[in-house]
């Protein structure tokens, strides 16, 4: 027996109190940092891509200059629209000076601006046509006054008419359907409410800010008391800030429920497995310590959790408990054979500890290999799980034995009588039949490998919205600008150059273009103002000079035109705040940037990719290149990276597992034998997904490297125990190690099963696929591997 094992166990045996005390101190220290992770969960898809990408760096630059992209909209519905408007005005007044909100937009000022400056907003050619018609009409009237003029019998009386031009600039049907007294507001499509737009001072990716913002508005609404205005008034929030806060709330709720489910479920399983409560406690306590170390290091190394790593507490709890079950099960087995505490622990650490070290190192290196991927969903997941596995190994090999000694000293462990049945050896029955069944299942799954589909609809990967959220829906004009792609520019010339370039791209692509419209803050200003003002001055002078040439009815028409002739050149600072708010920074300064709205649903990943390919890099005729970025563009790029990295992740984890196994087993044949159950289990997962119509998605892709990293453990334990006991012992191996593996597999699956009832689809999808994979790995490890070992054993006996 190697002296290192004896020294380790002897030290633990004689210093168990000090070891437990030191581990507790470290846990308290690490727990301080781990607790901070709960308040730093990133729910934005953009956080899953490395900052090395140009689009990510540009989006960070956009957020730094602009803040949150898009408003938070408060939809106020009521049976009495007057009451809803009155309440909206009071709410806007209350929020206008809030430090959390940079600006408030309560009116649809564009209509008034267009009405007052209708000639400036007219197309230049249409304004020239107005001038031409006036000139012709005046010339005709002058001609009629000439004594030499005479009218032909069939000549029609020419009337001054601009009705065709006026019709071109009439308000659309949506605006016309709104009663006149409400046309200055944004009204819901159903006409049952009014919309208040708030431009927050923070970022949507700052979850704490989003929560504070929603809470602040809730408190303000409660303080005002909407029921004082009308009992039917209801307020609903829409926009990315609400989505961020809503997702965070759901995730925290899911984390609490999954953690509770996992802990209680695992404790019950361990208690039933070992038939004593104390066993579950001194296995669980070291594990909880290792988890605080893991998440403390995670906070120091990464600083946050993302949408994929957020469920790792339940996963690591179910995974780490495996080590403790193996340690305690082997200790009980050795103790049952008549060994004292120190001897039993020495045997446990020497044999089971070696197998645990192999599986832990193999699994952790496999997960650490994911750090080579650009997709943070893989790389950060790999770092946290790899670190958690190593800390779990240390806790179960050093801390768990210390708790066992403490429990033995306090006589808390129930003595177990010797049972000779455990030592009955035997062969594995019907190995060829087992292999045949396995081959059939594997073949069926491989046949349908090409039928797997990827879920591109991201709306299915987010929590369902609260009920009645669509009682008052947004008008199309507000839906268009909620998530535009942004291009930062430094001047009017640059902004307009980008606008013209994008418009030409849209025109060139025709119906296949994904661009709905493009605008800058300058888009709210009339184009060609100097030329239009010159024409307006000509028209005004003409009317003043030749007023007497018009009839009474014509003068009435022209009098209605005169108010629009008294205009001046508009600048940005002449525009109403409601029109410029979306182009302001957090300090209220108007910025030069361009917003590009999509004509397709960007919740569809394929459309997001098309949109990104069309406008993410904009090359202007002057040779300049501008970068457009937004969360959806990041998602598009992330999708492409993730689909590429997913194959790399599977290959890396498989390669690392194979190399570590080869180093440990020192035999290509033995390595292939141990890998066979894992490879078959992975293929079985594909068959399960086909049968139950489960699609791959952004989240459950991480389950495959997880299955590889965790699933190899079972085969390693089976093979190591078979090597230890020798030929003809497969029945014994399955009764001892196999039984322990059943317990560890069930506990791991209980940990993952806590994700299944989660409200957030991301956690559910990871949980379901991982459960299927881990279950398949256990089945193949206790069937296919023993069958292969039995067949090899029989063949060597014949030689």
């Amino acid at each position: 027996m190697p002296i290192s094992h004896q020294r380790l166990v002897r030290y633990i045996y004689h210093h168990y109190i000090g070891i437990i005390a030191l581990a507790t101190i470290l846990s308290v220290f690490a727990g301080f940092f781990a607790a901070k992770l709960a308040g730093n969960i990133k729910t934005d898809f953009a956080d899953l891509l490395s900052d090395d990408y140009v689009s990510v760096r540009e989006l960070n630059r956009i957020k730094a200059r602009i803040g949150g992209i898009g408003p938070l909209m408060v939809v106020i519905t009521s049976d009495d629209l007057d009451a809803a408007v009155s309440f909206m005005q009071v709410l806007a007044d209350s929020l206008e000076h809030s430090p959390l909100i940079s600006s408030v937009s309560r009116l649809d000022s564009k209509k008034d601006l267009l009405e007052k400056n209708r000639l400036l907003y007219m197309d230049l050619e249409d304004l020239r046509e107005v001038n031409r018609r006036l000139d012709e009409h005046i010339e005709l009237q002058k001609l009629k006054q000439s004594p030499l003029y005479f009218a032909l019998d069939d000549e029609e009386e020419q009337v001054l008419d601009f009705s065709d031009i006026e019709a071109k600039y009439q308000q659309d049907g949506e605006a016309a359907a709104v009663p006149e007294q409400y046309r200055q507001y944004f009204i819901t499509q159903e006409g049952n409410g009014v919309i208040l737009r708030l431009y927050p001072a923070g970022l949507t990716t700052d979850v704490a800010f989003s929560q504070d913002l929603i809470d602040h508005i809730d408190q303000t609404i409660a303080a005002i008391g909407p029921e004082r205005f009308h009992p039917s008034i209801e307020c609903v929030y829409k926009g990315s800030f609400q989505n961020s806060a809503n997702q965070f709330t759901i995730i925290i709720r899911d984390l609490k429920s999954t953690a509770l489910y996992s802990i209680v479920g695992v404790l019950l399983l361990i208690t039933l497995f070992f038939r004593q409560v104390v066993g579950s406690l001194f296995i669980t306590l070291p594990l909880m310590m290792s988890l605080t170390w893991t998440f403390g290091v995670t906070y120091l190394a990464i600083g946050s959790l993302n949408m994929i790593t957020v469920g790792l507490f339940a996963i690591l709890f179910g995974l780490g408990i495996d080590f403790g079950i193996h340690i305690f099960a082997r200790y009980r087995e050795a103790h049952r054979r008549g060994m004292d505490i120190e001897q039993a622990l020495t045997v446990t650490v020497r044999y089971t500890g070696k197998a645990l070290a192999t599986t832990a190192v193999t699994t952790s290196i496999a997960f650490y290999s994911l750090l080579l991927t650009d997709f943070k969903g893989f790389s950060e997941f790999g770092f946290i799980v790899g670190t958690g596995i190593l800390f779990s190994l240390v806790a179960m090999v050093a801390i768990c034995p210390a708790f066992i000694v403490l429990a033995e000293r306090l006589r808390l462990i129930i003595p177990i009588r010797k049972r000779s049945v455990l030592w009955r050896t035997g062969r594995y029955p019907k190995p060829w039949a087992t292999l045949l069944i396995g081959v059939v299942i594997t073949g069926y799954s491989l046949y349908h490998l090409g039928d797997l589909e990827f879920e591109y609809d991201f709306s299915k990967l987010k929590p369902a919205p609260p009920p009645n959220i669509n009682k008052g829906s947004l008008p199309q004009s507000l839906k268009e600008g909620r998530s535009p792609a942004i291009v930062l520019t430094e001047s009017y010339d640059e902004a307009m150059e980008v606008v013209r370039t994008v418009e030409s791209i849209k025109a060139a692509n025709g119906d296949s273009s994904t661009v709905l419209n493009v605008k800058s803050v300058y888009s709210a200003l009339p184009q060609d103002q100097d030329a239009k003002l010159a024409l307006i001055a000509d028209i005004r002078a003409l009317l003043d000079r030749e007023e007497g040439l018009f009839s009474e009815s014509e003068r009435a028409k022209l009098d209605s035109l005169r108010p629009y002739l008294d205009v001046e050149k508009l600048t940005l600072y002449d525009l109403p705040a409601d029109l410029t708010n979306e182009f302001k920074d957090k300090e209220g300064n108007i910025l030069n940037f361009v917003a590009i709205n999509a004509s397709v649903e960007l919740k569809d990943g394929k459309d997001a990719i098309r949109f990104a390919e069309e406008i993410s890099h904009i090359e202007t005729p002057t040779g300049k290149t501008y970068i457009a970025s937004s969360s959806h563009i990041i998602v598009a790029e992330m999708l492409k990276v993730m689909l590429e990295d997913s194959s790399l992740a599977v290959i890396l984890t498989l390669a690392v597992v194979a190399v570590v196994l080869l180093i440990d087993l020192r035999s290509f044949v033995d390595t292939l034998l141990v890998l066979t159950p894992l490879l078959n289990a992975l293929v079985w997962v594909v068959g399960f997904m086909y049968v139950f119509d489960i699609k791959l998605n952004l989240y459950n892709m991480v389950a495959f490297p997880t299955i590889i990293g965790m699933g190899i453990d079972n085969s390693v334990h089976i093979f190591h125990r078979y090597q230890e006991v020798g030929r003809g012992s497969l029945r014994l191996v399955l009764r001892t190690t196999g039984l322990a593996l059943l317990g560890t597999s069930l506990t791991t699956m209980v940990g993952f099963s806590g994700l299944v009832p989660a409200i957030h689809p991301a956690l559910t999808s990871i949980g379901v696929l991982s459960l299927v994979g881990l279950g398949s790995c256990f089945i193949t490890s206790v069937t296919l591997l023993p069958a292969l070992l039995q067949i090899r054993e029989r063949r060597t006996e014949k030689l």
Side-chain angles (χ1 to χ4, degrees):
M1 186 176 296
I3 191 67
S4 58
H5 297 106
Q6 290 180 338
R7 287 181 175 177
L8 174 61
V9 172
R10 186 176 298 118
Y11 186 87
I12 295 172
Y13 184 76
H14 291 287
H15 300 88
Y16 63 93
I17 296 294
I19 292 173
I20 293 174
L22 178 61
T24 302
I25 293 172
L26 289 174
S27 299
V28 172
F29 178 75
F32 171 77
F33 296 103
K36 294 185 177 182
L37 280 178
N40 199 7
I41 299 173
K42 296 182 177 180
T43 60
D44 196 334
F45 284 131
D47 295 315
L48 296 177
L49 199 60
S50 169
D51 292 341
D52 294 335
Y53 285 83
V54 175
S55 55
V56 176
R57 292 200 301 269
E58 192 66 14
L59 183 60
N60 291 334
R61 204 162 69 93
I62 291 168
K63 290 175 179 177
R65 289 182 59 178
I66 301 173
I69 300 173
L72 171 68
M73 287 172 278
V74 184
V75 181
I76 304 166
T77 56
S78 174
D79 296 338
D80 184 343
L81 193 53
D82 283 331
V85 170
S86 298
F87 174 74
M88 183 272 291
Q89 296 284 14
V90 176
L91 179 60
D93 290 339
S94 301
L95 294 174
E96 203 152 24
H97 301 292
S98 169
L100 300 179
I101 298 171
S102 60
S103 59
V104 175
S105 292
R106 64 187 87 191
L107 303 176
D108 184 3
S109 302
K110 185 177 182 180
K111 298 169 186 173
D112 287 339
L113 182 70
L114 292 177
E115 179 66 22
K116 293 176 181 177
N117 299 277
R118 59 164 59 185
L119 295 182
L120 275 179
Y121 283 97
M122 213 181 254
D123 289 343
L124 184 59
E125 289 305 316
D126 289 334
L127 193 57
R128 285 173 176 162
E129 178 63 19
V130 171
N131 193 28
R132 186 187 65 79
R133 292 184 188 182
L134 283 171
D135 272 337
E136 289 182 352
H137 184 77
I138 289 171
E139 289 301 320
L140 179 60
Q141 297 306 315
K142 288 181 177 180
L143 183 61
K144 286 181 177 180
Q145 293 179 356
S146 170
L148 300 178
Y149 174 81
F150 65 94
L152 299 176
D153 292 337
D154 59 348
E155 182 178 351
E156 296 183 3
E157 182 69 21
Q158 293 190 7
V159 180
L160 185 61
D161 182 25
F162 303 108
S163 59
D164 57 331
I165 298 177
E166 289 176 350
K168 183 177 177 180
Y169 296 98
Q170 282 182 348
Q171 300 291 336
D172 57 27
E174 180 184 310
V178 177
E180 184 63 31
Q181 67 268 33
Y182 303 124
R183 288 185 62 185
Q184 60 181 318
Y185 304 109
F186 278 107
I187 303 299
T188 59
Q189 282 191 336
E190 297 80 2
N192 62 346
V194 64
I195 300 161
L196 176 64
R197 293 175 296 161
L198 307 174
Y199 291 87
L203 304 177
T204 56
T205 50
D206 187 341
V207 176
F209 173 83
S210 296
Q211 276 197 307
D212 290 343
L213 176 66
I214 298 299
D215 291 342
H216 175 62
I217 300 173
D218 282 341
Q219 293 168 8
T220 304
I221 290 174
I224 296 172
E227 66 280 354
R228 294 193 298 109
F229 294 81
H230 199 276
S232 65
I233 288 182
E234 294 183 8
C235 299
V236 174
Y237 308 132
K238 295 191 177 184
S240 54
F241 286 92
Q242 164 61 12
N243 296 337
S244 176
N246 184 48
Q247 286 206 62
F248 182 80
T249 301
I250 290 174
I251 287 172
I252 293 299
R253 190 184 311 152
D254 282 343
L255 284 180
K256 292 177 180 178
S257 62
T258 56
L260 180 63
Y261 181 89
S262 299
I263 292 173
V264 173
V266 168
L267 287 176
L268 286 175
L269 269 179
I270 297 175
T271 301
L272 292 173
F273 187 78
F274 291 116
R275 296 188 178 91
Q276 51 184 302
V277 176
V278 69
S280 63
L281 292 178
F282 61 71
I283 291 175
T284 303
L285 287 176
L287 175 60
M288 294 299 292
M289 291 178 174
S290 72
L291 291 180
T292 60
W293 306 342
T294 300
F295 288 107
V297 170
T298 298
Y299 178 79
L300 295 175
I302 300 175
S304 62
L305 297 174
N306 59 48
M307 291 298 297
I308 292 179
T309 60
V310 72
L312 281 181
F313 178 87
I315 295 172
L316 284 174
F317 189 87
L319 172 64
I321 206 74
D322 293 1
F323 296 155
I325 293 175
H326 282 296
I327 289 290
F328 190 54
R330 188 59 187 273
Y331 170 77
R332 278 162 46 99
E333 181 184 322
H335 206 38
R336 189 182 296 125
R337 290 163 54 190
M339 297 182 185
D340 61 24
I341 298 174
E342 188 172 352
Q343 288 176 328
L345 285 175
T346 303
V347 170
T348 299
V349 171
R350 178 187 177 185
Y351 293 106
T352 302
K354 180 184 178 182
L356 289 178
T358 299
T359 56
V361 171
T362 302
T363 306
S364 61
I365 293 177
F367 279 109
Y368 279 140
S369 68
L370 298 180
L371 291 170
L372 299 176
T373 62
D374 289 331
F375 181 52
K376 286 186 179 181
F378 288 150
S379 60
E380 292 182 0
F381 187 94
F383 173 81
I384 297 173
V385 175
T387 303
I389 289 170
L390 292 180
F391 280 144
S392 297
L393 174 66
V394 172
M396 293 308 175
V397 173
I399 314 302
C400 185
F403 275 102
I404 291 176
V405 176
L406 176 63
E408 290 282 13
R409 295 288 173 86
L410 297 176
R411 301 182 182 278
L412 298 176
I413 298 180
I414 302 173
I416 300 175
R417 293 177 300 174
K418 297 181 181 180
R419 292 166 56 190
S420 58
V421 68
L422 285 175
W423 298 103
R424 294 176 184 173
T425 59
R427 299 176 181 273
Y428 181 83
K430 300 182 179 180
W432 285 108
T434 301
L435 286 183
L436 178 61
I437 294 173
V439 167
V440 170
I441 298 174
T442 302
Y444 176 84
S445 301
L446 282 174
Y447 180 77
H448 292 289
L449 180 62
D451 295 327
L452 282 185
E453 296 181 1
F454 188 84
E455 182 59 80
Y456 284 96
D457 187 352
F458 288 110
S459 64
K460 296 180 180 179
L461 303 179
K462 293 182 178 181
N468 299 325
I469 196 168
N470 290 322
K471 188 172 182 180
S473 52
L474 300 176
Q476 187 60 36
S477 59
L478 289 185
K479 291 180 181 179
E480 292 173 1
R482 285 191 295 172
S483 54
I486 301 297
V487 183
L488 292 179
T489 57
E490 303 301 330
S491 67
Y492 168 82
D493 292 334
E494 287 189 358
M496 297 314 299
E497 183 180 29
V498 170
V499 169
R500 287 191 294 269
T501 303
V502 174
E503 287 176 342
S504 65
I505 292 173
K506 179 178 184 292
N509 291 333
D511 294 338
S512 64
S513 176
T514 60
V515 176
L516 176 64
N517 56 49
V518 54
K519 61 181 180 178
S520 74
V521 68
Y522 302 106
S523 299
L525 292 174
Q527 302 299 308
D528 303 312
Q529 287 195 72
D530 291 336
K532 290 177 181 177
L533 286 170
L535 282 171
I536 293 172
D538 288 345
I539 294 172
R540 183 171 59 245
L542 188 64
L543 294 181
D544 291 341
R545 186 175 63 250
E546 308 294 350
E547 185 176 3
L549 295 177
F550 296 98
S551 66
E552 289 292 332
S553 61
E554 290 173 340
R555 276 200 292 270
K557 290 182 181 179
L558 294 176
D559 286 341
S560 66
L561 178 64
R562 285 187 181 278
Y564 305 110
L565 296 174
D566 188 18
V567 292
E568 296 179 353
K569 186 173 183 178
L570 296 178
T571 68
L572 291 180
Y573 300 97
D574 296 318
L575 297 177
D578 295 322
L579 286 179
T580 58
N581 279 340
E582 63 181 303
F583 293 97
K584 291 178 180 178
D585 62 14
K586 293 177 283 187
E587 285 73 37
N589 302 312
I590 299 176
L591 297 177
N592 295 299
F593 68 83
V594 176
I596 307 171
N597 292 304
S599 62
V600 293
E601 289 285 349
L602 295 181
K603 66 181 181 181
D604 186 317
K606 292 180 179 178
D607 285 336
I609 290 174
R610 288 175 52 217
F611 183 60
E613 289 176 345
E614 186 171 10
I615 55 90
S616 61
H617 287 73
I618 302 168
E619 296 184 2
T620 65
T622 59
K624 294 181 180 179
T625 300
Y626 295 89
I627 306 298
S629 191
S630 68
S631 293
H632 289 101
I633 289 179
I634 301 298
V635 166
E637 192 159 10
M638 178 195 63
L639 269 177
K640 294 189 287 187
V641 171
M642 186 271 296
L643 291 173
E644 294 172 0
D645 280 357
S646 59
S647 301
L648 177 62
V650 171
I651 294 171
L652 278 175
T653 49
L654 277 176
V656 169
V657 166
V659 170
V660 176
L661 283 178
L662 185 59
I663 294 173
D664 177 57
L665 303 177
R666 300 178 183 179
S667 167
F668 283 102
V669 175
D670 289 348
T671 299
L672 184 60
L673 280 173
V674 175
L675 281 174
T676 298
L678 174 62
L679 296 175
N680 280 270
L682 288 173
V683 177
W684 289 12
V685 172
V686 173
F688 181 90
M689 294 178 69
Y690 172 76
V691 171
F692 291 95
D693 193 26
I694 298 175
K695 293 182 179 181
L696 291 171
N697 63 51
L698 181 66
Y699 299 109
N700 64 22
M701 290 289 289
V702 79
F704 284 95
T706 302
I707 294 168
I708 295 170
M710 297 178 178
I712 194 63
D713 292 5
N714 294 330
S715 298
V716 170
H717 283 293
I718 291 286
F719 191 79
H720 270 285
R721 190 63 196 275
Y722 174 72
Q723 281 186 318
E724 176 190 340
V725 183
R727 295 175 179 275
S729 62
L730 283 169
R731 189 183 295 269
L732 170 65
V733 170
L734 292 177
R735 285 178 175 175
T736 54
T737 303
L739 191 61
L741 290 177
L742 175 61
T744 58
S745 296
L746 286 176
T747 53
T748 303
M749 292 173 71
V750 165
F752 275 97
S753 65
L755 302 176
V756 175
I759 300 174
H760 203 295
L763 301 180
T764 301
S765 63
I766 295 174
V768 169
L769 210 58
S770 298
L771 280 175
V772 174
L774 294 174
S776 300
C777 285
F778 171 74
I779 293 172
T780 56
S781 295
V782 297
T783 56
L784 296 183
L785 181 57
L788 291 170
L789 291 173
Q790 189 62 67
I791 291 172
R792 186 174 74 165
E793 187 177 300
R794 288 179 179 177
R795 288 189 174 183
T796 55
E797 289 175 353
K798 293 179 181 180
L799 297 178

